[in-house]
Every structure is written in C-alpha cells, then in structure tokens.
Short mmCIF file of all heavy atoms in Angstrom, two decimals:
data_model
loop_
_atom_site.label_atom_id
_atom_site.label_comp_id
_atom_site.label_asym_id
_atom_site.label_seq_id
_atom_site.Cartn_x
_atom_site.Cartn_y
_atom_site.Cartn_z
N ALA P 1153 -49.61 -58.05 60.13
CA ALA P 1153 -50.51 -57.01 59.68
C ALA P 1153 -51.40 -56.57 60.84
O ALA P 1153 -51.57 -57.28 61.82
CB ALA P 1153 -51.36 -57.51 58.53
N LEU P 1154 -51.99 -55.41 60.69
CA LEU P 1154 -52.86 -54.86 61.73
C LEU P 1154 -54.05 -55.76 62.01
O LEU P 1154 -54.51 -55.87 63.14
CB LEU P 1154 -53.35 -53.48 61.34
CG LEU P 1154 -52.34 -52.36 61.48
CD1 LEU P 1154 -52.90 -51.07 60.91
CD2 LEU P 1154 -51.92 -52.17 62.91
N VAL P 1155 -54.57 -56.39 60.99
CA VAL P 1155 -55.74 -57.26 61.16
C VAL P 1155 -55.41 -58.40 62.11
O VAL P 1155 -56.23 -58.79 62.94
CB VAL P 1155 -56.22 -57.79 59.79
CG1 VAL P 1155 -57.33 -58.79 59.96
CG2 VAL P 1155 -56.64 -56.64 58.90
N ASP P 1156 -54.19 -58.91 62.02
CA ASP P 1156 -53.78 -60.00 62.91
C ASP P 1156 -53.60 -59.50 64.35
O ASP P 1156 -53.88 -60.23 65.30
CB ASP P 1156 -52.47 -60.63 62.43
CG ASP P 1156 -52.63 -61.28 61.06
OD1 ASP P 1156 -53.74 -61.77 60.76
OD2 ASP P 1156 -51.65 -61.29 60.29
N ALA P 1157 -53.16 -58.26 64.50
CA ALA P 1157 -52.93 -57.71 65.83
C ALA P 1157 -54.25 -57.37 66.54
O ALA P 1157 -54.34 -57.43 67.77
CB ALA P 1157 -52.07 -56.46 65.74
N PHE P 1158 -55.26 -56.99 65.77
CA PHE P 1158 -56.56 -56.60 66.33
C PHE P 1158 -57.67 -57.39 65.65
O PHE P 1158 -58.43 -56.86 64.83
CB PHE P 1158 -56.79 -55.10 66.14
CG PHE P 1158 -55.69 -54.25 66.70
CD1 PHE P 1158 -54.86 -53.53 65.86
CD2 PHE P 1158 -55.47 -54.19 68.07
CE1 PHE P 1158 -53.85 -52.74 66.38
CE2 PHE P 1158 -54.46 -53.41 68.59
CZ PHE P 1158 -53.64 -52.68 67.75
N PRO P 1159 -57.80 -58.68 65.97
CA PRO P 1159 -58.74 -59.54 65.23
C PRO P 1159 -60.21 -59.17 65.37
O PRO P 1159 -61.00 -59.48 64.49
CB PRO P 1159 -58.47 -60.93 65.81
CG PRO P 1159 -57.83 -60.70 67.13
CD PRO P 1159 -57.10 -59.40 67.03
N ASN P 1160 -60.62 -58.48 66.45
CA ASN P 1160 -62.05 -58.16 66.56
C ASN P 1160 -62.42 -56.90 65.79
O ASN P 1160 -63.59 -56.59 65.65
CB ASN P 1160 -62.49 -58.06 68.03
CG ASN P 1160 -61.88 -56.87 68.74
OD1 ASN P 1160 -61.14 -56.09 68.17
ND2 ASN P 1160 -62.20 -56.74 70.01
N GLY P 1161 -61.44 -56.16 65.30
CA GLY P 1161 -61.70 -55.01 64.44
C GLY P 1161 -62.07 -53.72 65.12
O GLY P 1161 -62.10 -52.67 64.49
N LEU P 1162 -62.36 -53.74 66.41
CA LEU P 1162 -62.79 -52.51 67.08
C LEU P 1162 -61.73 -51.42 67.04
O LEU P 1162 -62.05 -50.24 66.86
CB LEU P 1162 -63.19 -52.80 68.53
CG LEU P 1162 -64.48 -53.57 68.72
CD1 LEU P 1162 -64.69 -53.93 70.19
CD2 LEU P 1162 -65.66 -52.78 68.19
N GLN P 1163 -60.48 -51.80 67.19
CA GLN P 1163 -59.40 -50.81 67.15
C GLN P 1163 -59.19 -50.25 65.75
O GLN P 1163 -58.59 -49.19 65.58
CB GLN P 1163 -58.09 -51.42 67.67
CG GLN P 1163 -58.14 -51.83 69.11
CD GLN P 1163 -58.71 -53.24 69.31
OE1 GLN P 1163 -59.22 -53.86 68.38
NE2 GLN P 1163 -58.63 -53.74 70.52
N MET P 1164 -59.69 -50.94 64.76
CA MET P 1164 -59.52 -50.52 63.37
C MET P 1164 -60.46 -49.39 62.99
O MET P 1164 -60.22 -48.69 62.01
CB MET P 1164 -59.73 -51.72 62.44
CG MET P 1164 -58.83 -52.90 62.75
SD MET P 1164 -57.09 -52.55 62.50
CE MET P 1164 -56.96 -52.85 60.78
N VAL P 1165 -61.53 -49.20 63.74
CA VAL P 1165 -62.51 -48.16 63.42
C VAL P 1165 -61.85 -46.79 63.39
O VAL P 1165 -62.07 -45.99 62.48
CB VAL P 1165 -63.70 -48.19 64.40
CG1 VAL P 1165 -64.64 -47.03 64.16
CG2 VAL P 1165 -64.44 -49.51 64.27
N ALA P 1166 -60.99 -46.50 64.36
CA ALA P 1166 -60.30 -45.21 64.40
C ALA P 1166 -59.40 -45.01 63.18
O ALA P 1166 -59.20 -43.86 62.74
CB ALA P 1166 -59.49 -45.09 65.68
N LEU P 1167 -58.89 -46.08 62.61
CA LEU P 1167 -58.02 -45.96 61.44
C LEU P 1167 -58.77 -45.56 60.18
O LEU P 1167 -58.15 -45.22 59.17
CB LEU P 1167 -57.25 -47.27 61.22
CG LEU P 1167 -56.24 -47.60 62.31
CD1 LEU P 1167 -55.59 -48.95 62.02
CD2 LEU P 1167 -55.19 -46.52 62.44
N LEU P 1168 -60.08 -45.57 60.22
CA LEU P 1168 -60.86 -45.11 59.07
C LEU P 1168 -60.71 -43.60 58.88
O LEU P 1168 -61.11 -43.06 57.85
CB LEU P 1168 -62.34 -45.48 59.24
CG LEU P 1168 -62.64 -46.98 59.23
CD1 LEU P 1168 -64.11 -47.22 59.53
CD2 LEU P 1168 -62.24 -47.60 57.90
N GLU P 1169 -60.12 -42.92 59.86
CA GLU P 1169 -59.84 -41.48 59.75
C GLU P 1169 -58.39 -41.20 59.40
O GLU P 1169 -57.98 -40.04 59.34
CB GLU P 1169 -60.16 -40.80 61.09
CG GLU P 1169 -61.61 -40.84 61.48
CD GLU P 1169 -61.84 -40.12 62.79
OE1 GLU P 1169 -61.14 -39.15 63.08
OE2 GLU P 1169 -62.73 -40.55 63.52
N HIS P 1170 -57.58 -42.22 59.21
CA HIS P 1170 -56.15 -42.05 58.96
C HIS P 1170 -55.92 -41.23 57.69
O HIS P 1170 -56.67 -41.37 56.72
CB HIS P 1170 -55.48 -43.42 58.84
CG HIS P 1170 -54.01 -43.37 59.01
ND1 HIS P 1170 -53.16 -43.02 57.99
CD2 HIS P 1170 -53.24 -43.61 60.09
CE1 HIS P 1170 -51.92 -43.06 58.43
NE2 HIS P 1170 -51.95 -43.41 59.71
N PRO P 1171 -54.90 -40.36 57.68
CA PRO P 1171 -54.66 -39.53 56.49
C PRO P 1171 -54.16 -40.30 55.26
O PRO P 1171 -54.29 -39.81 54.14
CB PRO P 1171 -53.61 -38.52 56.96
CG PRO P 1171 -53.00 -39.10 58.18
CD PRO P 1171 -54.03 -40.01 58.79
N VAL P 1172 -53.64 -41.50 55.46
CA VAL P 1172 -53.13 -42.29 54.33
C VAL P 1172 -54.22 -43.24 53.83
O VAL P 1172 -54.75 -44.05 54.59
CB VAL P 1172 -51.86 -43.09 54.75
CG1 VAL P 1172 -51.37 -43.97 53.62
CG2 VAL P 1172 -50.77 -42.14 55.23
N ALA P 1173 -54.55 -43.12 52.55
CA ALA P 1173 -55.65 -43.91 51.97
C ALA P 1173 -55.41 -45.41 52.10
O ALA P 1173 -56.35 -46.16 52.34
CB ALA P 1173 -55.85 -43.53 50.51
N ALA P 1174 -54.18 -45.86 51.97
CA ALA P 1174 -53.90 -47.29 52.06
C ALA P 1174 -54.23 -47.83 53.46
O ALA P 1174 -54.71 -48.97 53.59
CB ALA P 1174 -52.43 -47.57 51.74
N VAL P 1175 -54.02 -47.02 54.47
CA VAL P 1175 -54.36 -47.44 55.84
C VAL P 1175 -55.88 -47.51 55.99
O VAL P 1175 -56.41 -48.46 56.57
CB VAL P 1175 -53.74 -46.48 56.88
CG1 VAL P 1175 -54.21 -46.82 58.29
CG2 VAL P 1175 -52.22 -46.51 56.79
N ARG P 1176 -56.59 -46.51 55.45
CA ARG P 1176 -58.06 -46.53 55.51
C ARG P 1176 -58.61 -47.75 54.78
O ARG P 1176 -59.53 -48.40 55.26
CB ARG P 1176 -58.64 -45.24 54.91
CG ARG P 1176 -58.32 -44.00 55.72
CD ARG P 1176 -59.12 -42.79 55.29
NE ARG P 1176 -59.02 -42.45 53.89
CZ ARG P 1176 -58.08 -41.67 53.35
NH1 ARG P 1176 -57.13 -41.16 54.10
NH2 ARG P 1176 -58.09 -41.38 52.06
N ARG P 1177 -58.03 -48.07 53.62
CA ARG P 1177 -58.47 -49.26 52.87
C ARG P 1177 -58.23 -50.53 53.67
O ARG P 1177 -59.07 -51.42 53.71
CB ARG P 1177 -57.73 -49.36 51.52
CG ARG P 1177 -58.33 -48.53 50.43
CD ARG P 1177 -57.80 -48.91 49.05
NE ARG P 1177 -56.35 -48.98 48.96
CZ ARG P 1177 -55.56 -47.95 48.64
NH1 ARG P 1177 -56.09 -46.76 48.40
NH2 ARG P 1177 -54.26 -48.11 48.56
N GLY P 1178 -57.07 -50.63 54.33
CA GLY P 1178 -56.75 -51.81 55.12
C GLY P 1178 -57.65 -51.98 56.34
O GLY P 1178 -57.92 -53.09 56.78
N ALA P 1179 -58.13 -50.86 56.87
CA ALA P 1179 -58.98 -50.90 58.06
C ALA P 1179 -60.45 -51.12 57.71
O ALA P 1179 -61.24 -51.48 58.58
CB ALA P 1179 -58.84 -49.60 58.84
N LEU P 1180 -60.82 -50.92 56.47
CA LEU P 1180 -62.24 -50.93 56.08
C LEU P 1180 -62.94 -52.24 56.43
O LEU P 1180 -63.96 -52.23 57.13
CB LEU P 1180 -62.37 -50.64 54.58
CG LEU P 1180 -63.80 -50.58 54.05
CD1 LEU P 1180 -64.53 -49.39 54.66
CD2 LEU P 1180 -63.80 -50.48 52.54
N GLU P 1181 -62.44 -53.34 55.98
CA GLU P 1181 -63.12 -54.63 56.19
C GLU P 1181 -63.18 -55.01 57.67
O GLU P 1181 -64.26 -55.31 58.17
CB GLU P 1181 -62.44 -55.73 55.37
CG GLU P 1181 -63.18 -57.04 55.40
CD GLU P 1181 -64.55 -56.97 54.73
OE1 GLU P 1181 -64.72 -56.17 53.80
OE2 GLU P 1181 -65.45 -57.72 55.16
N PRO P 1182 -62.04 -54.99 58.40
CA PRO P 1182 -62.15 -55.36 59.82
C PRO P 1182 -63.00 -54.39 60.64
O PRO P 1182 -63.71 -54.81 61.56
CB PRO P 1182 -60.70 -55.39 60.32
CG PRO P 1182 -59.88 -54.82 59.25
CD PRO P 1182 -60.67 -54.80 58.00
N ALA P 1183 -62.96 -53.11 60.32
CA ALA P 1183 -63.79 -52.14 61.04
C ALA P 1183 -65.26 -52.41 60.78
O ALA P 1183 -66.09 -52.32 61.69
CB ALA P 1183 -63.43 -50.72 60.63
N THR P 1184 -65.59 -52.77 59.55
CA THR P 1184 -66.98 -53.08 59.21
C THR P 1184 -67.44 -54.33 59.95
O THR P 1184 -68.53 -54.37 60.51
CB THR P 1184 -67.11 -53.30 57.69
OG1 THR P 1184 -66.69 -52.11 57.02
CG2 THR P 1184 -68.54 -53.61 57.30
N GLU P 1185 -66.59 -55.34 59.98
CA GLU P 1185 -66.94 -56.60 60.63
C GLU P 1185 -67.03 -56.47 62.15
O GLU P 1185 -67.61 -57.33 62.81
CB GLU P 1185 -65.94 -57.69 60.26
CG GLU P 1185 -65.96 -58.04 58.78
CD GLU P 1185 -67.30 -58.55 58.29
OE1 GLU P 1185 -67.95 -59.34 59.00
OE2 GLU P 1185 -67.71 -58.15 57.19
N SER P 1186 -66.46 -55.40 62.71
CA SER P 1186 -66.49 -55.21 64.17
C SER P 1186 -67.90 -54.99 64.68
O SER P 1186 -68.19 -55.27 65.84
CB SER P 1186 -65.61 -54.03 64.56
OG SER P 1186 -66.25 -52.79 64.25
N GLY P 1187 -68.77 -54.46 63.83
CA GLY P 1187 -70.13 -54.16 64.26
C GLY P 1187 -70.24 -52.89 65.08
O GLY P 1187 -71.29 -52.60 65.64
N ASP P 1188 -69.18 -52.11 65.16
CA ASP P 1188 -69.18 -50.87 65.92
C ASP P 1188 -70.03 -49.83 65.18
O ASP P 1188 -69.79 -49.52 64.03
CB ASP P 1188 -67.75 -50.35 66.08
CG ASP P 1188 -67.64 -49.15 66.99
OD1 ASP P 1188 -68.63 -48.43 67.19
OD2 ASP P 1188 -66.54 -48.94 67.52
N PRO P 1189 -71.06 -49.25 65.85
CA PRO P 1189 -71.89 -48.24 65.20
C PRO P 1189 -71.09 -47.03 64.72
O PRO P 1189 -71.48 -46.38 63.75
CB PRO P 1189 -72.90 -47.84 66.27
CG PRO P 1189 -72.92 -48.97 67.24
CD PRO P 1189 -71.55 -49.58 67.19
N ALA P 1190 -69.97 -46.72 65.36
CA ALA P 1190 -69.14 -45.59 64.93
C ALA P 1190 -68.60 -45.82 63.52
O ALA P 1190 -68.39 -44.87 62.76
CB ALA P 1190 -68.00 -45.36 65.91
N ALA P 1191 -68.38 -47.08 63.16
CA ALA P 1191 -67.88 -47.38 61.82
C ALA P 1191 -68.89 -46.95 60.75
O ALA P 1191 -68.49 -46.50 59.67
CB ALA P 1191 -67.59 -48.87 61.69
N LEU P 1192 -70.16 -47.04 61.04
CA LEU P 1192 -71.19 -46.64 60.07
C LEU P 1192 -71.07 -45.16 59.74
O LEU P 1192 -71.19 -44.77 58.58
CB LEU P 1192 -72.58 -46.98 60.61
CG LEU P 1192 -73.73 -46.88 59.63
CD1 LEU P 1192 -73.51 -47.75 58.40
CD2 LEU P 1192 -75.03 -47.29 60.31
N ALA P 1193 -70.81 -44.33 60.74
CA ALA P 1193 -70.63 -42.90 60.50
C ALA P 1193 -69.41 -42.64 59.62
O ALA P 1193 -69.46 -41.82 58.70
CB ALA P 1193 -70.51 -42.16 61.82
N HIS P 1194 -68.33 -43.34 59.88
CA HIS P 1194 -67.13 -43.18 59.06
C HIS P 1194 -67.37 -43.64 57.63
O HIS P 1194 -66.90 -43.01 56.68
CB HIS P 1194 -65.96 -43.99 59.65
CG HIS P 1194 -65.44 -43.48 60.94
ND1 HIS P 1194 -64.89 -42.23 61.10
CD2 HIS P 1194 -65.38 -44.07 62.15
CE1 HIS P 1194 -64.51 -42.07 62.34
NE2 HIS P 1194 -64.81 -43.17 63.01
N LEU P 1195 -68.12 -44.72 57.47
CA LEU P 1195 -68.35 -45.26 56.14
C LEU P 1195 -69.16 -44.29 55.28
O LEU P 1195 -68.94 -44.19 54.07
CB LEU P 1195 -69.06 -46.61 56.23
CG LEU P 1195 -68.19 -47.73 56.78
CD1 LEU P 1195 -69.02 -48.97 57.04
CD2 LEU P 1195 -67.04 -48.04 55.86
N GLY P 1196 -70.07 -43.55 55.89
CA GLY P 1196 -70.81 -42.54 55.13
C GLY P 1196 -69.88 -41.51 54.53
O GLY P 1196 -70.04 -41.09 53.38
N ARG P 1197 -68.88 -41.10 55.28
CA ARG P 1197 -67.91 -40.12 54.80
C ARG P 1197 -66.97 -40.75 53.76
O ARG P 1197 -66.61 -40.12 52.77
CB ARG P 1197 -67.10 -39.59 55.98
CG ARG P 1197 -66.07 -38.55 55.63
CD ARG P 1197 -65.26 -38.10 56.82
NE ARG P 1197 -64.76 -39.19 57.65
CZ ARG P 1197 -63.71 -39.95 57.35
NH1 ARG P 1197 -63.05 -39.76 56.22
NH2 ARG P 1197 -63.32 -40.90 58.17
N LEU P 1198 -66.61 -42.00 53.97
CA LEU P 1198 -65.68 -42.67 53.06
C LEU P 1198 -66.27 -42.92 51.67
O LEU P 1198 -65.54 -43.12 50.71
CB LEU P 1198 -65.19 -43.98 53.67
CG LEU P 1198 -64.27 -43.84 54.87
CD1 LEU P 1198 -63.94 -45.21 55.45
CD2 LEU P 1198 -63.00 -43.10 54.51
N LYS P 1199 -67.59 -42.87 51.56
CA LYS P 1199 -68.21 -43.04 50.23
C LYS P 1199 -67.80 -41.92 49.29
O LYS P 1199 -67.86 -42.07 48.08
CB LYS P 1199 -69.73 -43.07 50.35
CG LYS P 1199 -70.26 -44.31 50.99
CD LYS P 1199 -71.78 -44.26 50.98
CE LYS P 1199 -72.40 -44.95 52.14
NZ LYS P 1199 -73.86 -44.83 52.15
N GLN P 1200 -67.39 -40.77 49.86
CA GLN P 1200 -66.93 -39.63 49.05
C GLN P 1200 -65.41 -39.45 49.15
O GLN P 1200 -64.89 -38.37 48.88
CB GLN P 1200 -67.62 -38.34 49.50
CG GLN P 1200 -69.01 -38.15 48.96
CD GLN P 1200 -70.04 -38.98 49.72
OE1 GLN P 1200 -69.98 -39.06 50.93
NE2 GLN P 1200 -70.97 -39.58 49.01
N ASP P 1201 -64.69 -40.48 49.56
CA ASP P 1201 -63.24 -40.38 49.74
C ASP P 1201 -62.55 -40.07 48.41
O ASP P 1201 -63.04 -40.47 47.34
CB ASP P 1201 -62.69 -41.70 50.30
CG ASP P 1201 -61.31 -41.54 50.88
OD1 ASP P 1201 -60.32 -41.69 50.13
OD2 ASP P 1201 -61.23 -41.25 52.09
N SER P 1202 -61.43 -39.36 48.49
CA SER P 1202 -60.69 -39.03 47.27
C SER P 1202 -60.05 -40.26 46.64
O SER P 1202 -59.74 -40.26 45.44
CB SER P 1202 -59.60 -37.99 47.59
OG SER P 1202 -58.71 -38.49 48.55
N ASP P 1203 -59.87 -41.32 47.40
CA ASP P 1203 -59.37 -42.58 46.86
C ASP P 1203 -60.55 -43.35 46.27
O ASP P 1203 -61.44 -43.80 46.99
CB ASP P 1203 -58.70 -43.39 47.99
CG ASP P 1203 -58.14 -44.70 47.50
OD1 ASP P 1203 -58.92 -45.68 47.46
OD2 ASP P 1203 -56.95 -44.75 47.16
N SER P 1204 -60.58 -43.48 44.97
CA SER P 1204 -61.74 -44.07 44.29
C SER P 1204 -61.97 -45.53 44.68
O SER P 1204 -63.12 -45.98 44.78
CB SER P 1204 -61.61 -43.95 42.77
OG SER P 1204 -60.45 -44.62 42.32
N GLU P 1205 -60.92 -46.28 44.91
CA GLU P 1205 -61.06 -47.68 45.31
C GLU P 1205 -61.73 -47.78 46.69
O GLU P 1205 -62.62 -48.60 46.90
CB GLU P 1205 -59.69 -48.36 45.35
CG GLU P 1205 -59.73 -49.83 45.66
CD GLU P 1205 -58.35 -50.45 45.69
OE1 GLU P 1205 -57.43 -49.95 45.01
OE2 GLU P 1205 -58.19 -51.46 46.39
N LEU P 1206 -61.32 -46.92 47.60
CA LEU P 1206 -61.90 -46.89 48.93
C LEU P 1206 -63.36 -46.43 48.87
O LEU P 1206 -64.23 -47.02 49.51
CB LEU P 1206 -61.08 -45.97 49.84
CG LEU P 1206 -61.55 -45.82 51.28
CD1 LEU P 1206 -61.61 -47.17 51.98
CD2 LEU P 1206 -60.64 -44.87 52.02
N ALA P 1207 -63.63 -45.40 48.10
CA ALA P 1207 -65.00 -44.89 47.97
C ALA P 1207 -65.92 -45.97 47.40
O ALA P 1207 -67.06 -46.13 47.87
CB ALA P 1207 -65.01 -43.65 47.08
N ALA P 1208 -65.44 -46.72 46.44
CA ALA P 1208 -66.26 -47.78 45.84
C ALA P 1208 -66.52 -48.91 46.83
O ALA P 1208 -67.59 -49.53 46.80
CB ALA P 1208 -65.57 -48.33 44.59
N ALA P 1209 -65.58 -49.19 47.71
CA ALA P 1209 -65.74 -50.27 48.68
C ALA P 1209 -66.59 -49.84 49.89
O ALA P 1209 -67.16 -50.68 50.57
CB ALA P 1209 -64.38 -50.75 49.16
N ALA P 1210 -66.66 -48.54 50.15
CA ALA P 1210 -67.36 -48.05 51.34
C ALA P 1210 -68.87 -48.26 51.27
O ALA P 1210 -69.49 -48.57 52.28
CB ALA P 1210 -67.05 -46.57 51.56
N ALA P 1211 -69.48 -48.09 50.12
CA ALA P 1211 -70.93 -48.24 50.01
C ALA P 1211 -71.40 -49.65 50.36
O ALA P 1211 -72.29 -49.81 51.20
CB ALA P 1211 -71.41 -47.82 48.62
N PRO P 1212 -70.84 -50.70 49.75
CA PRO P 1212 -71.28 -52.04 50.14
C PRO P 1212 -70.91 -52.39 51.58
O PRO P 1212 -71.64 -53.11 52.26
CB PRO P 1212 -70.60 -52.99 49.15
CG PRO P 1212 -69.62 -52.18 48.40
CD PRO P 1212 -69.93 -50.74 48.61
N ALA P 1213 -69.80 -51.83 52.08
CA ALA P 1213 -69.41 -52.08 53.47
C ALA P 1213 -70.44 -51.46 54.42
O ALA P 1213 -70.81 -52.06 55.42
CB ALA P 1213 -68.02 -51.53 53.74
N ALA P 1214 -70.91 -50.26 54.10
CA ALA P 1214 -71.93 -49.60 54.92
C ALA P 1214 -73.23 -50.39 54.91
O ALA P 1214 -73.88 -50.56 55.96
CB ALA P 1214 -72.17 -48.18 54.43
N ALA P 1215 -73.61 -50.91 53.77
CA ALA P 1215 -74.83 -51.71 53.68
C ALA P 1215 -74.69 -52.99 54.50
O ALA P 1215 -75.63 -53.40 55.19
CB ALA P 1215 -75.13 -52.05 52.22
N ARG P 1216 -73.51 -53.61 54.46
CA ARG P 1216 -73.26 -54.82 55.22
C ARG P 1216 -73.30 -54.53 56.73
O ARG P 1216 -73.91 -55.27 57.49
CB ARG P 1216 -71.90 -55.40 54.82
CG ARG P 1216 -71.70 -56.82 55.15
CD ARG P 1216 -70.47 -57.44 54.47
NE ARG P 1216 -69.25 -56.66 54.56
CZ ARG P 1216 -68.72 -55.95 53.56
NH1 ARG P 1216 -69.30 -55.95 52.37
NH2 ARG P 1216 -67.61 -55.28 53.72
N LEU P 1217 -72.69 -53.42 57.15
CA LEU P 1217 -72.68 -53.06 58.56
C LEU P 1217 -74.09 -52.75 59.05
O LEU P 1217 -74.46 -53.12 60.16
CB LEU P 1217 -71.74 -51.88 58.81
CG LEU P 1217 -71.63 -51.42 60.26
CD1 LEU P 1217 -71.14 -52.55 61.16
CD2 LEU P 1217 -70.70 -50.23 60.36
N ALA P 1218 -74.87 -52.10 58.24
CA ALA P 1218 -76.24 -51.76 58.63
C ALA P 1218 -77.07 -53.02 58.91
O ALA P 1218 -77.96 -53.00 59.75
CB ALA P 1218 -76.91 -50.91 57.56
N THR P 1219 -76.76 -54.12 58.23
CA THR P 1219 -77.50 -55.36 58.49
C THR P 1219 -76.97 -56.08 59.72
O THR P 1219 -77.69 -56.88 60.32
CB THR P 1219 -77.43 -56.32 57.28
OG1 THR P 1219 -76.08 -56.71 57.05
CG2 THR P 1219 -78.01 -55.68 56.04
N ILE P 1220 -75.72 -55.81 60.11
CA ILE P 1220 -75.13 -56.44 61.29
C ILE P 1220 -75.63 -55.79 62.57
O ILE P 1220 -75.87 -56.47 63.56
CB ILE P 1220 -73.58 -56.33 61.24
CG1 ILE P 1220 -73.02 -57.17 60.10
CG2 ILE P 1220 -72.96 -56.77 62.56
CD1 ILE P 1220 -71.55 -56.96 59.85
N LEU P 1221 -75.80 -54.47 62.55
CA LEU P 1221 -76.18 -53.74 63.76
C LEU P 1221 -77.61 -54.06 64.17
O LEU P 1221 -78.50 -54.08 63.33
CB LEU P 1221 -76.05 -52.23 63.53
CG LEU P 1221 -74.64 -51.71 63.30
CD1 LEU P 1221 -74.67 -50.23 62.95
CD2 LEU P 1221 -73.78 -51.96 64.51
N PRO P 1222 -77.83 -54.28 65.45
CA PRO P 1222 -79.20 -54.53 65.90
C PRO P 1222 -80.00 -53.23 65.88
O PRO P 1222 -79.45 -52.15 66.06
CB PRO P 1222 -79.02 -55.03 67.34
CG PRO P 1222 -77.73 -54.42 67.77
CD PRO P 1222 -76.87 -54.34 66.54
N PRO P 1223 -81.30 -53.32 65.65
CA PRO P 1223 -82.12 -52.11 65.69
C PRO P 1223 -82.18 -51.57 67.12
O PRO P 1223 -82.17 -52.33 68.08
CB PRO P 1223 -83.50 -52.59 65.23
CG PRO P 1223 -83.49 -54.05 65.49
CD PRO P 1223 -82.06 -54.51 65.38
N LEU P 1224 -82.19 -50.25 67.22
CA LEU P 1224 -82.29 -49.63 68.54
C LEU P 1224 -83.75 -49.58 68.96
O LEU P 1224 -84.60 -49.10 68.22
CB LEU P 1224 -81.69 -48.22 68.52
CG LEU P 1224 -80.20 -48.16 68.23
CD1 LEU P 1224 -79.74 -46.71 68.20
CD2 LEU P 1224 -79.42 -48.93 69.27
N ARG P 1225 -84.01 -50.08 70.15
CA ARG P 1225 -85.38 -50.10 70.66
C ARG P 1225 -85.31 -50.03 72.17
O ARG P 1225 -84.50 -50.71 72.80
CB ARG P 1225 -86.07 -51.38 70.23
CG ARG P 1225 -87.54 -51.40 70.53
CD ARG P 1225 -88.17 -52.63 69.97
NE ARG P 1225 -88.43 -53.51 71.10
CZ ARG P 1225 -88.86 -54.73 71.01
NH1 ARG P 1225 -89.05 -55.28 69.85
NH2 ARG P 1225 -89.09 -55.46 72.08
N PHE P 1226 -86.12 -49.20 72.75
CA PHE P 1226 -86.15 -49.05 74.19
C PHE P 1226 -87.48 -49.53 74.73
O PHE P 1226 -88.53 -49.15 74.22
CB PHE P 1226 -85.94 -47.59 74.60
CG PHE P 1226 -84.61 -47.05 74.17
CD1 PHE P 1226 -84.48 -46.34 72.98
CD2 PHE P 1226 -83.49 -47.26 74.94
CE1 PHE P 1226 -83.26 -45.84 72.59
CE2 PHE P 1226 -82.26 -46.78 74.55
CZ PHE P 1226 -82.14 -46.06 73.37
N VAL P 1227 -87.42 -50.36 75.75
CA VAL P 1227 -88.62 -50.85 76.40
C VAL P 1227 -88.51 -50.45 77.86
O VAL P 1227 -87.53 -50.77 78.54
CB VAL P 1227 -88.74 -52.39 76.27
CG1 VAL P 1227 -89.95 -52.89 77.01
CG2 VAL P 1227 -88.80 -52.78 74.81
N LEU P 1228 -89.51 -49.76 78.35
CA LEU P 1228 -89.53 -49.35 79.75
C LEU P 1228 -90.21 -50.42 80.59
O LEU P 1228 -91.26 -50.93 80.22
CB LEU P 1228 -90.27 -48.02 79.91
CG LEU P 1228 -89.65 -46.84 79.18
CD1 LEU P 1228 -90.56 -45.62 79.30
CD2 LEU P 1228 -88.28 -46.55 79.74
N PRO P 1229 -89.62 -50.77 81.71
CA PRO P 1229 -90.25 -51.75 82.58
C PRO P 1229 -91.48 -51.16 83.27
O PRO P 1229 -91.58 -49.96 83.45
CB PRO P 1229 -89.16 -52.08 83.59
CG PRO P 1229 -88.30 -50.86 83.63
CD PRO P 1229 -88.36 -50.29 82.25
N GLY P 1230 -92.41 -52.00 83.60
CA GLY P 1230 -93.58 -51.54 84.37
C GLY P 1230 -94.80 -51.25 83.55
O GLY P 1230 -95.83 -50.84 84.09
N GLY P 1231 -94.73 -51.40 82.25
CA GLY P 1231 -95.93 -51.21 81.43
C GLY P 1231 -96.47 -49.79 81.45
O GLY P 1231 -97.68 -49.60 81.54
N PHE P 1232 -95.62 -48.81 81.40
CA PHE P 1232 -96.07 -47.42 81.38
C PHE P 1232 -96.84 -47.16 80.10
O PHE P 1232 -96.32 -47.34 79.02
CB PHE P 1232 -94.91 -46.46 81.49
CG PHE P 1232 -94.13 -46.60 82.76
CD1 PHE P 1232 -92.91 -47.23 82.79
CD2 PHE P 1232 -94.66 -46.12 83.94
CE1 PHE P 1232 -92.21 -47.37 83.96
CE2 PHE P 1232 -93.97 -46.26 85.13
CZ PHE P 1232 -92.73 -46.88 85.15
N ARG P 1233 -98.08 -46.78 80.23
CA ARG P 1233 -98.91 -46.51 79.05
C ARG P 1233 -99.70 -45.25 79.28
O ARG P 1233 -100.02 -44.89 80.39
CB ARG P 1233 -99.86 -47.67 78.78
CG ARG P 1233 -99.15 -48.95 78.47
CD ARG P 1233 -100.15 -50.08 78.34
NE ARG P 1233 -99.49 -51.35 78.46
CZ ARG P 1233 -99.20 -52.12 77.45
NH1 ARG P 1233 -99.51 -51.77 76.25
NH2 ARG P 1233 -98.60 -53.27 77.66
N ARG P 1234 -100.10 -44.64 78.22
CA ARG P 1234 -100.96 -43.46 78.30
C ARG P 1234 -102.40 -43.87 78.12
O ARG P 1234 -102.78 -44.65 77.39
CB ARG P 1234 -100.61 -42.46 77.20
CG ARG P 1234 -99.31 -41.82 77.46
CD ARG P 1234 -99.10 -40.91 76.30
NE ARG P 1234 -98.12 -39.91 76.58
CZ ARG P 1234 -98.21 -38.67 76.16
NH1 ARG P 1234 -99.23 -38.26 75.48
NH2 ARG P 1234 -97.26 -37.82 76.38
#
C-alpha cells in the first residue's frame, strides 16, 4: 500500500487532491500525521468533499493536525524594541 511506501506521509499530502475519492481517503490519515502545514489547507477543502465519508473524516483530521503544528512565532535577534 502507499502508506507502506511513504511512511512519513509527506508524499501523501499531494494525493489529497487526487480525483478519485478512494485515493483521497487513503491519503487522509498519513497526510494528517505528516504534520505538513499544506495538509491543513487541503483538509479545509475536503470538509466539503462530495464523498460523505471523506468529508466526515476531514474535520477531526484538521483538528488533529492543528494541534500537531507548532505555532508560528518570529523572534528577532538583538532586542529590537520601540
């Protein structure tokens, strides 16, 4: 299976755009577990997918991915302050 071929899930993120719903369903879990921020954007769209099983699974997957991703924060060196 694809999951065995790509165990870290990063390659599976692109499959969330596949035209076949069964492929999108198969890629959902490994793509979510990859922690790739691009997967979060795909999951938002998949919540409205025409495949009801996939749409139902996308919402909890998006919530799970949102907790995996680190918050974005930028710190400038040198103590620049106003």
Side-chain angles (χ1 to χ4, degrees):
L1154 284 174
V1155 175
D1156 296 329
F1158 305 112
N1160 68 1
L1162 289 174
Q1163 296 85 352
M1164 304 295 276
V1165 174
L1167 293 177
L1168 294 175
E1169 295 181 32
H1170 198 278
V1172 177
V1175 174
R1176 293 192 305 273
R1177 277 194 309 271
L1180 182 66
E1181 187 65 30
T1184 301
E1185 296 300 318
S1186 75
D1188 187 337
L1192 191 56
H1194 291 299
L1195 290 171
R1197 181 183 47 77
L1198 290 176
K1199 290 183 211 177
Q1200 280 78 42
D1201 197 271
S1202 59
D1203 180 274
S1204 60
E1205 184 180 333
L1206 180 58
R1216 199 167 47 255
L1217 181 58
T1219 63
I1220 293 171
L1221 294 174
L1224 296 178
R1225 189 175 106 187
F1226 298 96
V1227 177
L1228 298 174
F1232 299 104
R1233 297 175 198 258
R1234 289 179 161 218

